[in-house]
Amino acid sequence: MSDEKFEDPQVSHLSHDNPRSPSSDHMTISHYILTRFTTLKPTFDPVPNPIALLRLLNFQQWMFFLVAFVAWSWDAFDFFTVSLTVGNLAEQFGKTNTDITWGITLVLMLRSVGAIIFGIAADRYGRKWPFVINNVLFIILELGTGFCNTYEQFLGVRALFGIAMGGLYGNAAATALEDCPEAARGIVSGMLQQGYAFGYLLATVFARAFVDPGPDGWRPLFWFGAGPPVLFIIFRLCLPETKAYRERERVRDAAVEKTFIKEGKVALKKHWLVLIYMVLLMAGFNFMSHGSQDLYPTMLTNQYNFSPNAVTVTQVVANLGAMAGGTIIGYCSQIFGRRFSIVFICVIGGAILYPYTFVSDTRIIAPAFFEQACVQGAWGVIPIHLMELSPGSFRTFVVGTAYQLGNLVSSASSTIESTIGEQFPLPPKINAEGEEVKRYEYGTVMCIFMGCVFAYVIVLTIAGPEYRNRTFDVHQDQDMQEAAGFGRQTSEGGATPAGNVRDFGDEEKGAVRQENA
């Protein structure tokens, strides 16, 4: 700001205007690049023990977290119903496993459409009703999937399902984290993200319970999936809008004219470079999760001849590892920093890839636990990392759309792995009906594929910004002040993000700045 003192960003200090926000300094792009490693250094911020942090949440904040967690868990459950029934669906529709994986790919491709539609709606009209509509669509489309009789019907319903699924992630993140106490954000972020692993675990267990060996045995799993969203709708209707959203609405109402469109223009003008970065980062993260998970049950059964029970046990243990890893690394990101935590756990994940894909007996359970602890450990940082990077007026839209556009880029993960894997055939096996079943070397393909993905995520995370502990208070959101005509602005026409900003802004001028950790 014009009346702020700009100093060396490597020197720890606070601005005179906002005691919670450090001052910033403009720097050249070359200087920014040179600081990527110095700012990656762990901060070792003092953080209370996890129990003390969770006790900071009041009753309403816990309810916001729980409704977001259960909905995100069931979103994952619904997605993995297809992954866990690929063989049954292929038999039902007379298609190959690769053909069925297009049902997964379509969902991932179209989720970005839902993220845009429901994200804008949630930022403009509130979190509650878009959430309710999302879950109504889940009910209809899960029931519809269970009644599909042709491959074309299956693809059509799953495509629509992708749109519905796309709208939930940003809404869940905003609902759970907007009102969360600042010190507890890391651990709550990790817990929220593990709704994904918890949903996968539930899908694995219920698939074992509901899916019969016959071609029609998959349908009850989808019909069952349509039930719980009814409860989620009732739960959400009992809760108000988040405090952060209500405050933003009051500011909009106090403005001379409607500001929502202006807020979008300000956000796009000032933060376009960060938005592009978020999409690229999410592409890597989604390749990481889908590349390590979607085809894994097929690898266990097809390449290593695991029984259904052995697959179930392995998947359950893997998802227990995922939930543990996500919560722990989310908590650690509040101590060591978001970027450092992601890079560290991705290095460990890359080191475990060989046993994760090449151990051919039940001992694979151990590397499955630790590999998914690493993958979902990195993911545990993502909800709060994206929230802190996002413009305040468009958190739901930006978080959801960045995540789902990343899904779009990575949508062919399982199809790519399956297609390449089929180029490396193994000796066929004979099933219980005496039929010959083709086998493929999926493990080698997954290992190489995931090694490349881990490297990409590490490089991009090191290269990117971090706005750890950024405040979500609308009164310190200078994008909103500029759009609404309130408050002071910088000499450049904007302001630095409030909070503990470690990296860059002023993107529209091609400049880069760093703010001290």
Side-chain angles (χ1 to χ4, degrees), residues 40 329 332 336 338-350 374 378 458 461:
L40 193 66
I329 302 302
C332 289
F336 303 114
R338 314 295 187 210
R339 291 162 60 232
F340 176 84
S341 299
I342 292 171
V343 170
F344 174 82
I345 203 64
C346 283
V347 171
I348 303 301
C374 293
I458 290 169
T461 302

Side-chain angles (χ1 to χ4, degrees), residues 374-393:
C374 293
V375 170
Q376 291 304 314
W379 266 104
V381 183
I382 285 301
I384 191 57
H385 190 39
L386 295 187
M387 287 281 287
E388 290 170 341
L389 291 177
S390 299
S393 296

Side-chain angles (χ1 to χ4, degrees), residues 413-432:
S413 296
S414 57
T415 303
I416 291 171
E417 290 179 331
S418 177
T419 301
I420 297 176
E422 289 175 2
Q423 306 306 308
F424 301 95
L426 294 170
K429 65 179 179 180
I430 306 300
N431 64 16

Side-chain angles (χ1 to χ4, degrees), residues 338-381:
R338 314 295 187 210
R339 291 162 60 232
F340 176 84
S341 299
I342 292 171
V343 170
F344 174 82
I345 203 64
C346 283
V347 171
I348 303 301
I352 303 174
L353 278 176
Y354 183 84
Y356 181 66
T357 53
F358 280 88
V359 174
S360 59
D361 55 32
T362 53
R363 290 177 296 176
I364 204 172
I365 289 175
F369 177 93
F370 288 107
E371 184 65 45
Q372 287 307 311
C374 293
V375 170
Q376 291 304 314
W379 266 104
V381 183

